[in-house]
Amino acid sequence: MACDISIIIINYNTANYTIDCIASILKHTPSDLDCEFIIVDNASETKNYFLLKNYIDSISNKINIKLIRSQINTGFGAGNMIGAQQATGNYLAFINNDVIFENDCLSALKEFMDNHENAGVCGPQAFKEDHSILPTIDHFASPLRELFGRNILEFLNQKTYPERKKLYAKPQRGQFVAGSFMFFRTTDFDQVGGFDTNIFLYYEETDICKRLAKNKKSAWLVPSGRFIHFHGASTPKSIALKIELKISLLYLTRKHYGMISYWIIRFYLQLKYFFSSLVKPKHWPLFFALIKGAPLSMSLKHKQKIQRIS
């Protein structure tokens, strides 16, 4: 039997964040909103997995919640697809585990989507820990954005590229919403095939929102919902992740913009990181990855090991 909303959260060695996230959702979501929680553990270490499992077991008699264990780290998109395949909700809420609700986000998003058939995805307003703004809407990753930057695009055409770092009083359309909190109508999500599981990390939002746009479904910020995002808590910075970022960018460019754009961006990045590496030697691995074309075969996706529960 379908519920209103399926809440899908990925855990990867950050059980305490996941526990706090679930608790904040329960605190701010009214009981008459029929929700199910699907928590996907993406091959966390045994101790972290059981910390989360024990918490979920302790609340499972009070709410509709299930824990699914993947024995390999499938990344963001594929991890969420594991959850999506188990979902029964009319809506799908993909929420990062390093998110804390400040108010009843889910009711605000559901009400908006109920009344806007052409909206394909929406998200609430995000804030950093210090309550400074984090952009919820953003501009598609594209050759123009990569070459000229967001600020120039916003200056030249605010209709197509609305301001990201602005507090809006009313819902605002953007090109995509941040992956930390994405709220879809299940039928729309299914129609475009969900997340592209070739992408291990990064740019999943641009990819799926471009596919939604082809179906005339738009992306929206719903500012009446508010949440805190502990930005980067689940993916601390490293050269390996910077390489992953460029792998995903080049894959996305080739997929959506064609080979000419791919070669332009590839050459631009090679030049950029050659000179950057002269100043910051830690960037040399990134430069050499770009020389090879940063193909999907170099992705962290292909370096994961099976993590069986011991």
Side-chain angles (χ1 to χ4, degrees), residues 216-230:
K216 302 187 184 305
K217 296 285 186 173
S218 50
W220 288 81
L221 159 68
V222 181
S224 57
R226 299 164 61 96
F227 72 98
I228 301 295
H229 184 203
F230 295 90

Side-chain angles (χ1 to χ4, degrees), residues 28-46:
H28 291 288
T29 302
S31 58
D32 60 352
L33 194 61
D34 186 11
C35 298
E36 65 176 358
F37 288 80
I38 302 171
I39 314 302
V40 179
D41 183 79
N42 232 347
S44 297
E45 295 174 0
T46 300

Side-chain angles (χ1 to χ4, degrees), residues 166-172 221-224:
K166 176 181 176 179
L167 286 176
Y168 290 93
K170 298 180 180 180
Q172 172 64 44
L221 159 68
V222 181
S224 57

Side-chain angles (χ1 to χ4, degrees), residues 268-280 283-284 287:
Y268 166 74
L269 292 173
Q270 287 170 348
L271 282 179
K272 176 180 177 179
Y273 284 99
F274 171 74
F275 290 108
S276 171
S277 298
L278 295 177
V279 179
K280 298 180 179 179
H283 284 172
W284 282 118
F287 169 71

Side-chain angles (χ1 to χ4, degrees), residues 180-291:
S180 57
F181 197 144
M182 303 185 82
F183 192 90
F184 297 88
R185 191 176 292 103
T186 302
T187 51
D188 293 331
F189 183 83
D190 291 351
Q191 184 67 31
V192 298
F195 293 109
D196 183 343
T197 57
N198 286 315
I199 302 173
F200 186 71
L201 285 173
Y202 306 118
Y203 298 113
E204 300 91 350
E205 312 103 311
T206 282
D207 175 72
I208 195 168
C209 287
K210 284 193 74 68
R211 287 183 279 125
L212 283 168
K214 290 178 181 177
N215 286 350
K216 302 187 184 305
K217 296 285 186 173
S218 50
W220 288 81
L221 159 68
V222 181
S224 57
R226 299 164 61 96
F227 72 98
I228 301 295
H229 184 203
F230 295 90
H231 195 51
S234 57
T235 52
K237 292 180 180 179
S238 69
I239 286 296
L241 289 180
K242 286 185 177 181
I243 292 173
E244 195 69 33
L245 188 74
K246 303 310 177 189
I247 290 170
S248 297
L249 174 61
L250 288 173
Y251 170 77
L252 179 87
T253 302
R254 184 171 180 174
K255 177 178 178 179
H256 290 287
Y257 300 100
M259 288 303 297
I260 293 176
S261 294
Y262 164 81
W263 281 107
I264 290 171
I265 295 303
R266 178 176 170 178
F267 181 65
Y268 166 74
L269 292 173
Q270 287 170 348
L271 282 179
K272 176 180 177 179
Y273 284 99
F274 171 74
F275 290 108
S276 171
S277 298
L278 295 177
V279 179
K280 298 180 179 179
K282 66 180 181 179
H283 284 172
W284 282 118
L286 177 52
F287 169 71
F288 288 123
L290 290 165
I291 288 293

